[in-house]
Amino acid sequence: MVPRAPIERECDVLVIGAGVVGCAIARELTRRDLAVHVVEAEEDVCCGASKANSGIVHAGFDARPGTLMARLNVQGAALMPGLCAELDVPYRNNGSLVLCFDDEGRAGLERLLAQGLRNGVRDLSIVGGDEARAIEPTVSPEVRWALWAPTAGIVDPFLLTVALAENAAENGAEFSFNERVAAAEPARGGWLVTTSAGSWRAGAVVNAAGLDSARLFNATVGDAAPRLSITPRRGSYYLLDKTAAPVPSVTLFQLPTDKGKGVLVAPTCHGNTLVGPTAVDVEDPLATETTAAELADVAEKAVRSVPDLPLRSVITSFAGLRAHEAGHEFVIRESAPGFFNAAGIESPGLTSAPAIGVMVADAVSRALCATQRGDFQGERLGVPRFADLPGEEQASLVAERPSYGHVVCRCELVTQGEIEDACRRPVPPRTLDGVKRRLRAGMGRCQGGFCTPFVMQVLERELGLAPSEVHKSGARSWIVDGPTKTGADDPVAKGGER
Ligand SMILES: Cc1cc2nc3c(=O)[nH]c(=O)nc-3n(C[C@H](O)[C@H](O)[C@H](O)COP(=O)(O)OP(=O)(O)OC[C@H]3O[C@@H](n4cnc5c(N)ncnc54)[C@H](O)[C@@H]3O)c2cc1C
């Protein structure tokens, strides 16, 4: 029994979970005259599956025709370029190939083609091996046939989530972090939601809690209704350095298996190469460790697609957990009046997020009889990326703010000014990983070996934290424990430059 906390706060809509789905829903809700609050268990946005995926905007041929997954995939892929332009988020329409290595595999491609056509995907075609290699020269000589999907793309999943959250906040949504929802029960005029930090009374609740979404769904659906079952399905990756060559610029899949889309080799929007993921069911919803066996599996499969793949250029490995629903379908519906769910949002959930946002916000708005606002501002400008600016603009930025002249992360050329700007935005980073996801400081070849102390120092100053309060990711990932020197020469003890 969860102890009942006193009622502390109220809103019209409480969104549970600040992943890409919760943030997309929150932003769409702020188009209406609704007080929207997003409550997130972790310390920042984008801490679940949204931070550890392939970043692919899937064309939409994988999902079974007639499913919600198929419809929202195709709608989301169509919305993505415009949304990214509006929110200043990197997106590239690079196309994808599904490769097959023998004539028997062609039937699998035909099935995907037929599915894609039924789902409404444009411009799909099956091409021979030579044509596939003309589209993407790194493709293996062993490839016999491929499905070419020119509408597929790639997006920066971190910045998409951050930008959706920031724009929602700019339009009035509020966020609380380190606040985990424990339970929800119907109350007069809506829902009473108990959290680790108190409680909320909300007219409607949206459950976008990723791996925890089944628990909340099952607690609110009637006793006679079928239970939802979600299994964490781990996907492990290698990330290759930007200088790695030869690497593909088109996303390369292999024929899907019963566990998913298989191992891919794909560029990221920032010029790295992703290799993975695996698909291994685990019990622990925190089991994001990588294992030698899974990574060996990734390497073995990936070199079938790109035989010369430069795996010696690996700079890190990581894993994410898909919220795999037993029926492999998105569960987007009310489990009780006023309790809306976006549950079991596994791949292609990133692609579908813009469409899920519209769908859920429409349903909530209808239920609450909300009206459209006239003053919604959909455009958002990101932190200026100093390294990409023309020389003149760099010079004027440095003249205005000298901290833009201090390069903190040498691998990714991120300046102190950019970190300060990120900290002054509506949804600021709170940890090193929060800075990394927003600006790429620590994302490069040295993986933070050089920039960590400098980024810590900016976070301390901007957020008013003590050094021991700056964490890598969650609240328990300390970097420093306390001063090791107390002498007059110690720059840290004096709070000065390191
Ligand atoms: C390995 C892998 C590869 C993928 N590749 C792709 C791809 O290429 N393209 C694509 O379209 N999709 C892809 N996906 C799927 C995509 O990443 C997800 O569908 C999407 O990120 C789900 O977003 P979400 O917001 O529902 O979940 P999450 O990002 O997991 O967010 C849920 C949030 O809820 C919070 N939360 C949980 N419980 C509570 C609680 N009780 N109280 C408060 N907060 C809570 C969590 O901390 C988390 O931040 C991939 C996924 C994985 C794991």
Side-chain angles (χ1 to χ4, degrees), residues 371-391:
T371 52
Q372 294 279 338
R373 287 166 48 179
D375 57 349
F376 174 80
Q377 291 293 339
E379 293 205 350
R380 168 245 180 217
L381 258 188
V383 173
R385 177 134 175 77
F386 186 81
D388 296 344
L389 296 175

mmCIF file of all heavy atoms in Angstrom, residues 371-391:
data_model
loop_
_atom_site.group_PDB
_atom_site.id
_atom_site.type_symbol
_atom_site.label_atom_id
_atom_site.label_comp_id
_atom_site.label_asym_id
_atom_site.label_seq_id
_atom_site.Cartn_x
_atom_site.Cartn_y
_atom_site.Cartn_z
ATOM 1 N N THR A 371 -9.989 24.106 -25.669
ATOM 2 C CA THR A 371 -10.013 24.851 -26.932
ATOM 3 C C THR A 371 -8.586 25.231 -27.337
ATOM 4 O O THR A 371 -7.676 25.268 -26.515
ATOM 5 C CB THR A 371 -10.850 26.149 -26.789
ATOM 6 O OG1 THR A 371 -10.361 26.855 -25.654
ATOM 7 C CG2 THR A 371 -12.325 25.837 -26.609
ATOM 8 N N GLN A 372 -8.423 25.497 -28.637
ATOM 9 C CA GLN A 372 -7.104 25.874 -29.171
ATOM 10 C C GLN A 372 -6.713 27.255 -28.661
ATOM 11 O O GLN A 372 -7.561 28.137 -28.558
ATOM 12 C CB GLN A 372 -7.155 25.939 -30.704
ATOM 13 C CG GLN A 372 -7.397 24.615 -31.385
ATOM 14 C CD GLN A 372 -6.137 23.771 -31.520
ATOM 15 O OE1 GLN A 372 -5.035 24.297 -31.478
ATOM 16 N NE2 GLN A 372 -6.303 22.468 -31.651
ATOM 17 N N ARG A 373 -5.424 27.453 -28.373
ATOM 18 C CA ARG A 373 -4.938 28.783 -28.014
ATOM 19 C C ARG A 373 -4.552 29.542 -29.275
ATOM 20 O O ARG A 373 -4.118 28.937 -30.247
ATOM 21 C CB ARG A 373 -3.661 28.661 -27.178
ATOM 22 C CG ARG A 373 -3.884 28.189 -25.785
ATOM 23 C CD ARG A 373 -2.594 27.768 -25.156
ATOM 24 N NE ARG A 373 -1.524 28.758 -25.328
ATOM 25 C CZ ARG A 373 -0.289 28.607 -24.837
ATOM 26 N NH1 ARG A 373 0.019 27.524 -24.161
ATOM 27 N NH2 ARG A 373 0.624 29.527 -25.020
ATOM 28 N N GLY A 374 -4.639 30.834 -29.225
ATOM 29 C CA GLY A 374 -4.217 31.610 -30.392
ATOM 30 C C GLY A 374 -2.735 31.972 -30.334
ATOM 31 O O GLY A 374 -2.159 32.411 -31.327
ATOM 32 N N ASP A 375 -2.096 31.791 -29.191
ATOM 33 C CA ASP A 375 -0.731 32.312 -29.016
ATOM 34 C C ASP A 375 0.332 31.213 -28.940
ATOM 35 O O ASP A 375 1.430 31.460 -28.441
ATOM 36 C CB ASP A 375 -0.665 33.183 -27.752
ATOM 37 C CG ASP A 375 -1.100 32.411 -26.505
ATOM 38 O OD1 ASP A 375 -1.636 31.301 -26.657
ATOM 39 O OD2 ASP A 375 -0.893 32.924 -25.390
ATOM 40 N N PHE A 376 0.019 30.014 -29.415
ATOM 41 C CA PHE A 376 1.018 28.934 -29.404
ATOM 42 C C PHE A 376 2.172 29.300 -30.344
ATOM 43 O O PHE A 376 1.960 29.699 -31.482
ATOM 44 C CB PHE A 376 0.368 27.622 -29.852
ATOM 45 C CG PHE A 376 1.337 26.484 -30.009
ATOM 46 C CD1 PHE A 376 1.777 25.772 -28.905
ATOM 47 C CD2 PHE A 376 1.820 26.125 -31.272
ATOM 48 C CE1 PHE A 376 2.679 24.721 -29.041
ATOM 49 C CE2 PHE A 376 2.722 25.078 -31.421
ATOM 50 C CZ PHE A 376 3.151 24.374 -30.302
ATOM 51 N N GLN A 377 3.416 29.152 -29.855
ATOM 52 C CA GLN A 377 4.607 29.440 -30.677
ATOM 53 C C GLN A 377 5.327 28.138 -30.952
ATOM 54 O O GLN A 377 5.990 27.602 -30.058
ATOM 55 C CB GLN A 377 5.554 30.387 -29.928
ATOM 56 C CG GLN A 377 5.043 31.803 -29.751
ATOM 57 C CD GLN A 377 4.935 32.551 -31.076
ATOM 58 O OE1 GLN A 377 5.581 32.177 -32.050
ATOM 59 N NE2 GLN A 377 4.112 33.572 -31.109
ATOM 60 N N GLY A 378 5.216 27.617 -32.162
ATOM 61 C CA GLY A 378 5.768 26.299 -32.465
ATOM 62 C C GLY A 378 7.247 26.302 -32.818
ATOM 63 O O GLY A 378 7.874 25.256 -32.861
ATOM 64 N N GLU A 379 7.806 27.481 -33.087
ATOM 65 C CA GLU A 379 9.209 27.500 -33.529
ATOM 66 C C GLU A 379 10.146 27.625 -32.341
ATOM 67 O O GLU A 379 9.860 28.353 -31.395
ATOM 68 C CB GLU A 379 9.433 28.666 -34.488
ATOM 69 C CG GLU A 379 8.683 28.438 -35.764
ATOM 70 C CD GLU A 379 9.272 29.168 -36.942
ATOM 71 O OE1 GLU A 379 10.160 29.999 -36.736
ATOM 72 O OE2 GLU A 379 8.821 28.892 -38.053
ATOM 73 N N ARG A 380 11.251 26.924 -32.424
ATOM 74 C CA ARG A 380 12.259 26.980 -31.359
ATOM 75 C C ARG A 380 13.628 26.994 -32.007
ATOM 76 O O ARG A 380 13.863 26.306 -32.998
ATOM 77 C CB ARG A 380 12.066 25.746 -30.472
ATOM 78 C CG ARG A 380 13.203 25.471 -29.489
ATOM 79 C CD ARG A 380 13.872 24.171 -29.832
ATOM 80 N NE ARG A 380 14.962 23.863 -28.926
ATOM 81 C CZ ARG A 380 16.088 23.275 -29.320
ATOM 82 N NH1 ARG A 380 16.277 22.944 -30.574
ATOM 83 N NH2 ARG A 380 17.030 23.000 -28.461
ATOM 84 N N LEU A 381 14.506 27.822 -31.471
ATOM 85 C CA LEU A 381 15.886 27.880 -31.977
ATOM 86 C C LEU A 381 16.796 27.193 -30.979
ATOM 87 O O LEU A 381 16.750 27.497 -29.784
ATOM 88 C CB LEU A 381 16.324 29.327 -32.133
ATOM 89 C CG LEU A 381 16.327 29.913 -33.540
ATOM 90 C CD1 LEU A 381 16.975 31.273 -33.529
ATOM 91 C CD2 LEU A 381 17.043 28.990 -34.542
ATOM 92 N N GLY A 382 17.652 26.291 -31.458
ATOM 93 C CA GLY A 382 18.582 25.600 -30.571
ATOM 94 C C GLY A 382 19.738 26.504 -30.162
ATOM 95 O O GLY A 382 19.884 27.625 -30.649
ATOM 96 N N VAL A 383 20.579 26.004 -29.273
ATOM 97 C CA VAL A 383 21.804 26.711 -28.887
ATOM 98 C C VAL A 383 22.674 26.811 -30.144
ATOM 99 O O VAL A 383 22.834 25.819 -30.856
ATOM 100 C CB VAL A 383 22.556 25.900 -27.801
ATOM 101 C CG1 VAL A 383 23.914 26.501 -27.498
ATOM 102 C CG2 VAL A 383 21.710 25.792 -26.540
ATOM 103 N N PRO A 384 23.230 28.016 -30.455
ATOM 104 C CA PRO A 384 24.059 28.103 -31.671
ATOM 105 C C PRO A 384 25.229 27.122 -31.607
ATOM 106 O O PRO A 384 25.883 27.026 -30.573
ATOM 107 C CB PRO A 384 24.576 29.544 -31.666
ATOM 108 C CG PRO A 384 24.073 30.187 -30.434
ATOM 109 C CD PRO A 384 23.179 29.257 -29.701
ATOM 110 N N ARG A 385 25.431 26.373 -32.689
ATOM 111 C CA ARG A 385 26.536 25.409 -32.708
ATOM 112 C C ARG A 385 27.756 26.135 -33.265
ATOM 113 O O ARG A 385 27.924 26.270 -34.478
ATOM 114 C CB ARG A 385 26.129 24.201 -33.540
ATOM 115 C CG ARG A 385 27.211 23.195 -33.672
ATOM 116 C CD ARG A 385 26.796 21.777 -33.450
ATOM 117 N NE ARG A 385 27.923 20.887 -33.725
ATOM 118 C CZ ARG A 385 28.943 20.688 -32.900
ATOM 119 N NH1 ARG A 385 28.983 21.262 -31.724
ATOM 120 N NH2 ARG A 385 29.929 19.880 -33.240
ATOM 121 N N PHE A 386 28.602 26.596 -32.341
ATOM 122 C CA PHE A 386 29.701 27.497 -32.683
ATOM 123 C C PHE A 386 30.555 26.956 -33.836
ATOM 124 O O PHE A 386 30.872 27.674 -34.785
ATOM 125 C CB PHE A 386 30.563 27.733 -31.434
ATOM 126 C CG PHE A 386 31.636 28.757 -31.631
ATOM 127 C CD1 PHE A 386 31.336 30.113 -31.540
ATOM 128 C CD2 PHE A 386 32.934 28.387 -31.915
ATOM 129 C CE1 PHE A 386 32.319 31.069 -31.730
ATOM 130 C CE2 PHE A 386 33.920 29.337 -32.114
ATOM 131 C CZ PHE A 386 33.606 30.685 -32.020
ATOM 132 N N ALA A 387 30.920 25.673 -33.757
ATOM 133 C CA ALA A 387 31.845 25.104 -34.746
ATOM 134 C C ALA A 387 31.275 25.154 -36.162
ATOM 135 O O ALA A 387 32.032 25.169 -37.124
ATOM 136 C CB ALA A 387 32.175 23.666 -34.366
ATOM 137 N N ASP A 388 29.945 25.176 -36.294
ATOM 138 C CA ASP A 388 29.334 25.151 -37.627
ATOM 139 C C ASP A 388 29.068 26.551 -38.186
ATOM 140 O O ASP A 388 28.587 26.687 -39.306
ATOM 141 C CB ASP A 388 28.001 24.386 -37.583
ATOM 142 C CG ASP A 388 28.205 22.922 -37.231
ATOM 143 O OD1 ASP A 388 29.351 22.445 -37.329
ATOM 144 O OD2 ASP A 388 27.210 22.259 -36.858
ATOM 145 N N LEU A 389 29.338 27.578 -37.394
ATOM 146 C CA LEU A 389 29.006 28.938 -37.858
ATOM 147 C C LEU A 389 30.097 29.484 -38.781
ATOM 148 O O LEU A 389 31.281 29.142 -38.622
ATOM 149 C CB LEU A 389 28.878 29.889 -36.657
ATOM 150 C CG LEU A 389 27.748 29.603 -35.668
ATOM 151 C CD1 LEU A 389 27.841 30.563 -34.481
ATOM 152 C CD2 LEU A 389 26.391 29.744 -36.345
ATOM 153 N N PRO A 390 29.728 30.355 -39.733
ATOM 154 C CA PRO A 390 30.748 31.018 -40.541
ATOM 155 C C PRO A 390 31.642 31.890 -39.650
ATOM 156 O O PRO A 390 31.201 32.352 -38.580
ATOM 157 C CB PRO A 390 29.936 31.886 -41.507
ATOM 158 C CG PRO A 390 28.504 31.592 -41.276
ATOM 159 C CD PRO A 390 28.359 30.746 -40.062
ATOM 160 N N GLY A 391 32.883 32.124 -40.085
ATOM 161 C CA GLY A 391 33.875 32.849 -39.297
ATOM 162 C C GLY A 391 33.374 34.180 -38.746
ATOM 163 O O GLY A 391 33.616 34.522 -37.581
#
